[in-house]
Amino acid sequence: MFRFMDYPKIACIAVSLALPLTAAAQSAEGYPSHPVKILVPYAPGGATDIIARIVAAKLTESFGQSVLVENRPGASGNLALEAVAKAPADGYTLFVGNVSTNTINENTFASTLTIKPSRDLVGIAKLVEIPHIIATTANFPAGNLAELIALAKKEPGKINYASAGLGSYPHLDMEKFQKAAGIQLTHIPYKGGAGQMIPAIIAGEAPVAFLNLSSALPQIKGGRMKAIATTAPTRLAELPDVATMAEQGFPGIGTNAWQGMFAPSATPAPVVDKLYKSVAAILTNAEMKDRLSKQMLDVTLSPSPAQFQQLVEKETHAWGDFLREAKIKIE
């Protein structure tokens, strides 16, 4: 039976149980109180780096605290992935990655990763999507897919193609294309992403690649590269003379990839929500959307962190199914 003498003990227990909830509810009030770091898994210059730096600069303005970008390329993005997943879950170490790092790598590097990205990182916001092209060196003899296929069949394995690393979507998209076209190209992975792929394409070291248009367009306009196909559903206004993959007989091949922001999975929900609202305010600004559009970065903000996390988990499963069905193994 309850005794009056027990009331102080019960009250203390009730207060102690309520304290964590109160602390969690208030955990975003003073955030951030010192600089925030965003890890990017590639070298500077690619689309992931571009959107991370744009968002970081605006968050610095809105937070009144420095939001710094640190490039940490290597191991197909896994060095940065693991560093963020193992960082303190306090909102001060964030990650900007993409479909490769946050959905494909979990499948292709399951035996070597010490984390599971879909479990150990939490999605904050899907940021942008970017149309892709098949890019080539400016003087590459093929001007369309039929001519590329003819060249590849004439000398199997002689043409190199670049990717952002083993298991990245530029790698897997080219694997899909090779199987569909019945050709053999030689894969040259670049751990620094587009920042290293572009010089390799321009130099002719690896003259062909699936590449995001945000990174490629300045080089195409400058005459240093050319596009021979786009992965978009219809022709792009920026490249009206370049036929789509579907128009050239290869529908469904090519990824219009997204970029997104993540945090360690145990990051308090109030901090995640504050980050989402801050990012949403940046990306929904009309001037910002126009600025990004001119860089071929299409704002596709997720409706909420939870819905972005659901997308990540769904795509992780879908890429796993594809790799098993295609019997593609990453050595």
Side-chain angles (χ1 to χ4, degrees):
M1 175 180 283
F2 171 74
R3 296 176 300 166
F4 184 79
M5 289 285 292
D6 294 327
Y7 180 76
K9 293 180 181 179
I10 294 171
C12 288
I13 292 169
V15 169
S16 65
L17 289 173
L19 281 174
L21 296 176
T22 304
Q26 295 177 345
S27 62
E29 286 185 10
Y31 172 84
S33 60
H34 58 269
V36 176
K37 179 169 62 178
I38 298 176
L39 264 63
V40 171
Y42 305 114
T48 307
D49 180 69
I50 290 169
I51 188 60
R53 290 182 184 280
I54 289 172
V55 170
K58 289 297 181 181
L59 285 176
T60 295
E61 292 177 10
S62 61
F63 285 160
Q65 289 286 349
S66 295
V67 179
L68 308 171
V69 172
E70 178 183 323
N71 298 89
R72 196 177 293 185
S76 298
N78 291 336
L79 291 182
L81 265 179
E82 293 188 337
V84 176
K86 296 174 182 179
D90 53 11
Y92 289 93
T93 305
L94 307 175
F95 182 81
V96 170
N98 55 41
V99 62
S100 282
T101 55
N102 290 83
T103 67
I104 297 175
N105 283 15
E106 185 166 319
N107 295 290
T108 52
F109 296 101
S111 62
T112 57
L113 268 174
T114 60
I115 62 159
K116 287 184 69 173
S118 66
R119 178 196 66 200
D120 298 324
L121 293 169
V122 62
I124 295 170
K126 180 184 174 188
L127 306 173
V128 294
E129 284 187 7
I130 314 165
H132 274 58
I133 60 170
I134 293 186
T136 73
T137 305
N139 62 357
F140 191 69
N144 55 47
L145 295 186
E147 292 174 358
L148 170 60
I149 292 166
L151 282 172
K153 286 186 173 180
K154 187 177 180 180
E155 297 183 280
K158 185 176 180 180
I159 300 172
N160 293 340
Y161 77 90
S163 85
L166 290 169
S168 63
Y169 58 87
H171 173 206
L172 299 183
D173 284 345
M174 194 62 82
E175 287 292 320
K176 291 180 186 179
F177 174 63
Q178 289 183 88
K179 287 179 182 294
I183 60 174
Q184 179 187 344
L185 308 176
T186 296
H187 180 211
I188 309 294
Y190 293 90
K191 66 180 182 180
Q196 290 183 343
M197 290 168 67
I198 289 172
I201 296 168
I202 292 172
E205 179 181 295
V208 179
F210 274 98
L211 189 64
N212 73 74
L213 191 53
S214 176
S215 300
L217 193 58
Q219 308 299 331
I220 293 169
K221 288 182 175 180
R224 292 175 290 276
M225 293 196 311
K226 66 181 178 182
I228 63 172
T230 76
T231 64
T234 58
R235 293 198 185 198
L236 299 169
E238 292 78 11
L239 301 171
D241 297 327
V242 180
T244 67
M245 295 291 292
E247 285 180 293
Q248 299 187 64
F250 297 93
I253 295 179
T255 303
N256 287 326
W258 50 258
Q259 312 285 327
M261 179 178 282
F262 299 83
S265 60
T267 302
V271 172
V272 171
D273 290 340
K274 183 170 184 176
L275 282 163
Y276 173 81
K277 289 174 183 176
S278 300
V279 169
I282 293 166
L283 295 182
T284 55
N285 176 275
E287 185 178 338
M288 176 58 72
K289 290 180 75 171
D290 182 61
R291 174 186 170 188
L292 292 173
S293 177
K294 289 176 180 176
Q295 297 183 68
M296 300 307 301
L297 299 170
D298 182 24
V299 173
T300 52
L301 181 72
S302 50
S304 68
Q307 285 172 281
F308 180 41
Q309 182 65 24
Q310 289 168 7
L311 170 71
V312 170
E313 292 171 5
K314 179 181 177 181
E315 291 199 6
T316 299
H317 290 301
W319 279 105
D321 290 342
F322 162 71
L323 288 163
R324 283 186 290 273
E325 290 169 8
K327 298 181 180 178
I328 295 174
K329 294 183 179 180
I330 309 300
E331 301 298 336

